[in-house]
């Protein structure tokens, strides 16, 4: 066996520079292009943050109007894409639908490979605009409801809530707290340096492939429960526990069996996820505005305390822990929590694709062989 040092899971490996975001586990901070994420969530819309990630600066008022116009006018899906979504099995995972629909849209690109930075940005704008339409259509078809066409007079979050729930009196669209909470979640999910899905997108970009392929790879990586799929798993956990009075015992038993509790821990943050305080406050405010939701808050607090008190490294929640119940309270079906994450992370992925393309080097690590020694093929 070789004595080569192996960085299992690439843990601790610094693979490249990035100017998109800075994750600092020592100070629990996350900066997008230099701005603290909690300040962006408090003061900006998701669209301003998308612009920031792609262009490096927040937009002026005129730039924002232009950016919104470009995005809002390309939300519609053509009939062929609608047909692809409608033809997918009703019981497949929604991430599979998204992956297929994006692949399908990519086949219409007149260029087979990435041509320029502007080509990447144009594709990013198309994806930022159309992914919510695909997700909303998929949500509704599974509920036996018809397609609601996008509106180009509404912002990103409002338009998505409209396409999923319409504008009836119970729609989250008519609840300012829901709109605010959802928009904040989009900002917090937008970008997080070299996480698995972003790295997958960068690997594909490094081969000089095309943006659509990079995004499809990223979607595949995000689907996993150790990454984006954790927000779904959190809500399944909470539903399984059901009664806050059972939460403490449930978590202790899980830890005793050395099983993972989803929504806790992080590869980089070991002293707390910088995004959690903002999302936790938004989730608790949302719950206070939805009668009957108090039990999720109670369970949230108990689980967080039990995990902290009963692990040697005081494991804390990650962003998926408050986001899961927040989306549930708003009325989203659990399998759609990860596609909703994609609606946001497409901004970070695109920013990294631009960065990789601008300063490319093929990503191709080495491996240490630990298989059989050379031997002879048996002959008859
Ligand atoms: N539940 C229970 N135990 C956990 C845990 C969790 N969520 N996260 C970490 N641990 C345990 C590990 O099993 C390990 O135990 P060991 O020392 O006995 O082997 C110890 O805590 C240290 O783990 P750590 O090195 O900090 O984790 P990691 O960097 O290898 O993994 C994650 C990070 C995110 C993959 C891991 O925390 C996890 O699987 N979390 C649940 C999934 C999740 O919420 N993912 C979303 C991430 S944003």
């Amino acid at each position: 066996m070789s004595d080569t040092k192996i960085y299992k899971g690439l843990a601790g490996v610094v693979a490249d520079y990035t100017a998109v975001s800075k994750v600092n586990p020592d100070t629990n901070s996350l900066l997008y292009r230099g701005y603290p994420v909690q300040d962006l969530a408090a003061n900006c819309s998701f669209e301003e943050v998308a612009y920031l990630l792609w262009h490096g600066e927040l937009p002026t008022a005129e730039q924002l109007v232009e950016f919104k116009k470009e995005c809002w006018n390309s939300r519609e899906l053509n009939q062929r894409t609608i047909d692809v979504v409608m033809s997918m099995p009703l019981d497949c995972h929604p991430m599979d639908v998204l992956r297929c629909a994006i692949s399908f849209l990519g086949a219409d690109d007149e260029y087979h490979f990435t041509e320029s930075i502007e080509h990447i940005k144009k594709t990013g704008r198309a994806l930022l605009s159309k992914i919510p339409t695909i997700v909303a259509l998929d949500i509704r078809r599974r509920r036996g409801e018809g397609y609601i066409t996008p509106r180009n007079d509404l912002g990103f979050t409002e338009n998505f809530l409209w396409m999923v729930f319409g504008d009836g009196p119970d729609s989250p669209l008519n609840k300012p707290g829901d709109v605010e909470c959802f928009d904040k979640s989009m900002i917090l999910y937008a970008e997080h340096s070299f996480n698995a899905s972003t790295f997958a997108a960068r690997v594909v970009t490094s081969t000089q492939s095309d943006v659509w392929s990079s995004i499809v790879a990223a979607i595949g990586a995000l689907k996993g429960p150790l990454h984006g799929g954790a927000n779904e798993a959190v809500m399944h956990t909470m539903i399984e526990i059901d009664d806050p009075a059972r939460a403490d015992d449930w978590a202790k038993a899980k830890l005793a069996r050395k099983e993972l509790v989803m929504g806790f821990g992080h590869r980089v943050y070991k002293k707390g996820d910088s995004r959690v305080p903002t999302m936790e406050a938004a989730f608790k405010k949302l719950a206070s505005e939805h009668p009957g939701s108090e039990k999720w808050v109670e369970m949230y607090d108990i689980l967080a305390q039990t995990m902290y008190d009963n692990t040697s490294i005081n494991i804390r929640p990650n962003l998926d822990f408050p986001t899961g119940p927040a989306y549930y309270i708003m009325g989203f079906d659990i399998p759609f929590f990860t596609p909703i994450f994609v609606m946001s992370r497409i901004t970070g992925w695109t920013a990294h694709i631009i960065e990789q393309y601008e300063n490319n080097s093929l990503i191709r690590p080495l491996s240490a062989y630990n298989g059989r020694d050379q031997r002879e093929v048996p002959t008859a």
Side-chain angles (χ1 to χ4, degrees):
M1 187 81 72
S2 143
D3 58 2
T4 310
K5 173 135 178 62
I6 303 294
Y7 293 89
K8 194 84 174 156
L10 299 184
V13 173
V14 179
D16 205 343
Y17 289 101
T18 181
V20 181
S21 69
K22 180 177 180 185
V23 182
N24 189 338
D26 297 326
T27 53
N28 290 350
S29 70
L30 171 62
L31 308 178
Y32 292 174
R33 303 283 189 189
Y35 294 110
V37 70
Q38 65 275 14
D39 295 350
L40 292 168
N43 297 296
C44 300
S45 69
F46 174 54
E47 281 145 320
E48 287 172 282
V49 172
Y51 186 97
L52 169 72
L53 289 170
W54 293 352
H55 299 86
E57 298 295 337
L58 283 164
T60 62
E62 296 76 42
Q63 286 167 332
L64 185 60
V65 168
E66 189 55 31
F67 182 66
K68 285 180 173 174
K69 202 164 73 187
E70 284 167 348
C71 292
W72 295 8
N73 287 334
S74 39
R75 288 172 170 162
E76 285 272 11
L77 301 177
N78 60 31
Q79 190 55 46
R80 290 181 305 122
T81 310
I82 293 173
D83 291 344
V84 165
V85 173
M86 296 303 285
S87 68
M88 296 288 288
L90 283 170
D91 59 355
C92 73
H93 196 286
M95 287 291 271
D96 300 348
V97 174
L98 199 50
R99 200 186 58 224
C100 288
I102 290 175
S103 254
F104 187 79
L105 282 170
D108 276 340
D109 196 319
E110 62 179 306
Y111 301 109
H112 293 181
F113 300 94
T114 299
E115 282 286 302
S116 61
I117 298 294
E118 189 40 43
H119 182 208
I120 300 173
K121 287 185 182 164
K122 186 175 168 212
T123 310
R125 288 192 297 269
L127 286 162
L128 180 64
S129 310
K130 291 187 195 316
I131 289 173
T133 319
I134 296 166
V135 175
L137 171 62
D138 195 19
I139 290 176
R140 290 185 66 85
R141 81 183 178 109
R142 291 174 199 245
R143 294 177 169 183
E145 297 167 346
Y147 174 47
I148 296 184
T149 51
R151 278 171 53 179
N152 59 7
D153 61 327
L154 294 176
F156 181 90
T157 291
E158 290 87 344
N159 173 59
F160 179 62
L161 296 176
W162 151 254
M163 290 190 295
V164 175
F165 300 105
D167 66 354
D170 291 335
S171 170
L173 180 59
N174 293 317
K175 298 180 187 141
D178 290 34
V179 174
E180 188 190 327
C181 183
F182 191 87
D183 209 62
K184 280 195 199 313
S185 78
M186 290 292 100
I187 293 172
L188 296 170
Y189 266 141
E191 159 59 14
H192 215 216
S193 75
F194 281 23
N195 56 83
S197 58
T198 300
F199 197 64
R202 290 190 76 127
V203 169
V204 175
T205 304
S206 84
T207 70
Q208 297 186 346
S209 183
D210 66 296
V211 177
W212 306 91
S213 299
S214 299
I215 298 303
V216 168
I219 287 175
L222 193 76
K223 182 183 174 190
L226 294 190
H227 190 10
N231 59 10
E232 296 175 38
V234 165
M235 203 56 225
H236 288 302
T237 296
M238 289 189 164
I239 289 170
E240 182 192 330
I241 297 172
D242 187 45
D243 181 352
R246 294 183 57 228
D248 181 61
D249 284 347
W250 183 93
K252 283 179 182 158
K254 208 75 177 153
L255 290 172
R257 292 195 300 272
K258 295 231 166 268
E259 288 174 10
L260 289 174
V261 178
M262 305 314 260
F264 284 86
H266 199 274
R267 173 53 62 84
V268 181
Y269 298 117
K270 300 300 177 192
K271 295 184 213 150
D273 181 329
S274 59
R275 304 160 296 179
V276 165
T278 304
M279 195 60 216
E280 182 182 303
F283 153 60
K284 290 185 172 175
K285 181 166 175 281
L286 177 84
S288 72
E289 294 165 359
H290 285 256
S293 298
E294 306 78 10
K295 85 170 187 183
W296 305 121
V297 174
E298 215 184 314
M299 199 181 292
Y300 178 99
D301 287 334
I302 294 170
L303 286 173
Q305 195 64 51
T306 305
M307 290 296 288
Y308 185 88
D309 290 342
N310 293 276
T311 48
S312 57
I313 52 167
N314 303 125
I315 298 179
R316 298 162 173 88
N318 58 52
L319 177 59
D320 294 315
F321 194 53
T323 312
Y327 289 159
Y328 187 75
I329 291 169
M330 283 181 216
F332 289 105
D333 303 317
I334 297 172
F336 283 91
F337 292 3
T338 318
I340 289 171
F341 188 163
V342 175
M343 286 168 33
S344 160
R345 187 55 66 82
I346 184 67
T347 56
W349 290 337
T350 306
H352 280 273
I353 290 169
I354 293 168
E355 197 172 61
Q356 183 71 38
Y357 182 84
E358 272 180 328
N359 190 9
N360 191 39
S361 173
L362 178 70
I363 298 173
R364 202 302 188 189
L366 298 176
S367 55
Y369 180 70
N370 65 354
R372 300 282 295 263
D373 286 340
Q374 181 169 336
R375 49 188 169 151
E376 292 189 2
V377 177
T379 52

